């Protein structure tokens, strides 16, 4: 589908891989980098570009495993550090030398902390981020339910979703086709997305398999029978490898914005993609009970860690947006954009 007016599509060779991105605004503008999450691409931000204030250069890359970026494996044992290093390589190639405003949606919430741990940033925005303790298989304090982190990683993904992605299924004939998944979890059922065909086509570019989505897995004696492997995006999100609680230790501490859809069912205290929730509801047999494998309180974990960031001297602005699910920038673009650009402008002024 054609790009919106003023939006540029570019493929940038870097010292790590070739990165495809969409961008907007003057090349000498203040850099704002927007990183998408799992099963999405940079074009999930494109609709926001024309309404942006003048003077900003918005850069939205397709991350490794997704979109039109070069198809290389992802090392899950580094958490989301491959993504962070890819962004650093991209900025070097683009000759962006000043600190950026950095946004991470969902999965990329962990990647922006990896980046900020190694590079100065002007601000950090968490958009419905993955929990600071990763996704699945942990208790409230981040302790794993099982020593091998069973119940998280590539083995927990429904293989029918992967099969339909690989086959390019753009229909709604199954609840496991990506169009159905979007309507059921990306945004609320009440939202009618005018760019749905484009976004479905973008997700169907996902690289499936053990190296990328969902990744490999290993057999486990613990429920539900699999533990994280070492490659691919869902393993990178496993608490075995993903932990961004070190945001508390950043020095200096950039201002932080956390925006979250109040009705998000993906990153929630009882996520409908968390095996603890699904087991309790009877969707996954053999659930060992809430004393062993409860729902992961993801939003509460985010709130607690960012509370520690504030207590350590950081500035945190929190906006929980009613009437939005996992994609408030898509469901409520004007409201979300107003919050975001107000925050970025304040951070830019210092």
């Amino acid at each position: 589908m054609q790009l919106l007016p003023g939006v540029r599509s570019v493929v940038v060779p870097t010292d790590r891989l070739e990165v495809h991105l969409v961008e907007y605004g003057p090349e000498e503008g203040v850099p704002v980098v927007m990183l998408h999450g799992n099963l999405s691409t940079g074009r999930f931000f494109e609709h926001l570009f024309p309404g942006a204030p003048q003077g900003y250069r918005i850069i939205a890359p397709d991350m490794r495993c997704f979109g039109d970026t070069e198809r290389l494996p992802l090392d899950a044992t580094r958490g989301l550090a491959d993504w962070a290093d890819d962004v650093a390589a991209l900025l070097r190639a683009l000759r962006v030398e000043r600190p950026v405003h950095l946004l991470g949606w969902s999965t990329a919430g962990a990647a922006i902390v990896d980046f900020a741990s190694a590079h100065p940033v002007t601000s950090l925005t968490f958009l419905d981020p993955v929990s600071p303790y990763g996704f699945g298989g942990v208790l409230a304090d981040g302790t794993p339910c099982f020593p091998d982190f069973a119940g998280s990683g590539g083995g927990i993904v429904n293989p029918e979703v992967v099969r339909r992605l690989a086959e390019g299924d753009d229909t709604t004939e199954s609840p496991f086709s990506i169009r159905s998944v979007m309507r059921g979890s990306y945004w609320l059922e009440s939202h009618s997305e005018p760019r749905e065909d484009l976004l479905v086509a973008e997700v169907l570019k996902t690289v499936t398999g053990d190296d990328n989505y969902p990744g490999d897995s290993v057999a486990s004696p613990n429920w539900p029978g699999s533990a994280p492997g070492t490659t691919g995006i869902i393993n990178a999100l496993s608490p075995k490898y993903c932990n961004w609680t070190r945001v508390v230790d950043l020095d200096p501490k950039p201002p932080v914005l956390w925006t979250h859809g109040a009705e998000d069912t993906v990153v929630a205290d009882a996520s409908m993609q968390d095996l603890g929730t699904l087991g309790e509801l009877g969707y996954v047999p053999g659930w060992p009970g809430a004393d062993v494998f409860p729902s992961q309180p993801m939003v509460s974990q985010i709130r607690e860690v960012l509370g520690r960031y504030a207590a350590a001297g950081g500035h945190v602005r929190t906006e929980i947006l009613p009437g939005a699910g996992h994609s408030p920038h898509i469901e409520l673009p004007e409201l979300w954009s107003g919050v975001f650009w107000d925050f970025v402008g304040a951070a830019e002024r210092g």
Side-chain angles (χ1 to χ4, degrees):
M1 186 176 292
Q2 186 174 0
L3 295 166
L4 294 176
V7 178
R8 304 182 294 274
S9 172
V10 184
V11 175
V12 180
T14 79
D15 54 28
R16 286 176 58 82
L17 75 173
E18 287 193 348
V19 178
H20 172 260
L21 59 87
V22 287
E23 66 174 346
Y24 185 86
E27 290 190 1
E28 69 277 9
V30 175
V32 176
V33 180
M34 297 182 171
L35 306 184
H36 66 80
N38 184 34
L39 295 178
S40 52
T41 71
R43 296 196 73 178
F44 277 66
F45 296 112
E46 181 188 358
H47 64 295
L48 304 173
F49 295 178
Q54 292 185 348
Y56 291 97
R57 180 187 186 182
I58 309 173
I59 301 166
D62 295 345
M63 303 309 295
R64 183 181 296 236
C65 306
F66 300 105
D68 293 315
T69 283
E70 184 178 357
R71 299 187 165 203
L72 293 180
L74 187 142
D75 180 357
T77 66
R78 306 184 68 225
L80 272 296
D82 265 359
W83 276 20
D85 289 351
D86 291 345
V87 172
L90 173 62
L91 294 176
R92 287 193 299 271
L94 292 174
R95 301 184 185 275
V96 175
E97 297 178 352
R98 60 154 289 175
V100 302
H101 297 274
L102 187 58
L103 174 150
W105 175 33
S106 195
T107 294
I112 65 173
V113 175
D114 281 328
F115 184 93
S117 297
H119 309 276
V121 295
T122 306
S123 72
L124 292 174
T125 295
F126 295 94
L127 171 55
D128 292 63
V130 64
S131 162
Y133 299 103
F135 196 98
V138 291
L139 306 177
D141 65 355
T143 302
C145 298
F146 299 110
D148 62 354
F149 294 86
S152 69
I156 71 170
V157 174
N158 190 309
E160 185 68 5
V161 173
V162 180
R163 183 182 73 81
R164 289 180 177 273
L165 275 175
E167 293 177 356
D169 181 5
D170 64 357
T171 72
T172 56
E173 68 179 29
S174 165
F176 304 114
S177 67
I178 191 58
R179 192 181 298 269
S180 299
V181 171
M182 281 184 175
R183 293 178 181 180
S185 60
Y186 284 44
W187 45 72
L188 302 183
E189 290 183 4
S190 58
H191 176 73
S192 178
E193 176 49 46
R195 299 188 311 140
E196 185 177 271
D197 287 346
L198 165 66
L199 300 184
V200 167
E202 286 292 294
V203 177
L204 289 176
K205 297 175 181 179
T206 297
V207 183
T208 57
D210 284 352
D211 285 343
N212 291 296
Y213 180 84
D216 62 345
S217 63
V218 298
S220 171
N222 301 309
W223 185 83
S226 71
T230 60
T231 56
I233 191 66
I234 304 302
N235 289 314
L237 286 169
S238 164
K240 185 173 183 178
Y241 310 117
C242 178
N243 186 309
W244 57 264
T245 60
R246 65 188 176 283
V247 69
V248 175
D249 300 320
L250 291 181
D251 184 20
K253 288 180 164 50
V256 164
L257 171 65
W258 172 32
T259 67
H260 210 97
E263 299 176 62
D264 188 348
T265 62
V266 177
V267 178
D269 279 354
S271 169
M272 290 305 296
Q273 295 184 17
D274 176 19
L275 290 190
T277 303
L278 297 176
E280 184 172 8
L281 293 173
Y283 295 135
V284 182
W287 180 59
D291 56 333
V292 175
F293 204 114
S295 295
Q296 180 183 352
M298 301 177 188
V299 171
S300 295
Q301 290 171 333
I302 297 167
R303 192 182 305 278
E304 189 273 332
V305 169
L306 292 182
R308 285 198 274 135
Y309 186 83
H315 170 74
V316 178
R317 176 176 174 180
T318 299
E319 299 284 348
I320 306 299
L321 302 177
H326 192 55
S327 311
H329 63 302
I330 293 174
E331 298 165 277
L332 303 171
E334 292 185 6
L335 175 60
W336 184 88
S337 291
V339 169
F340 175 70
W341 289 114
D342 178 69
F343 167 76
V344 167
E348 187 63 24
R349 293 187 297 270

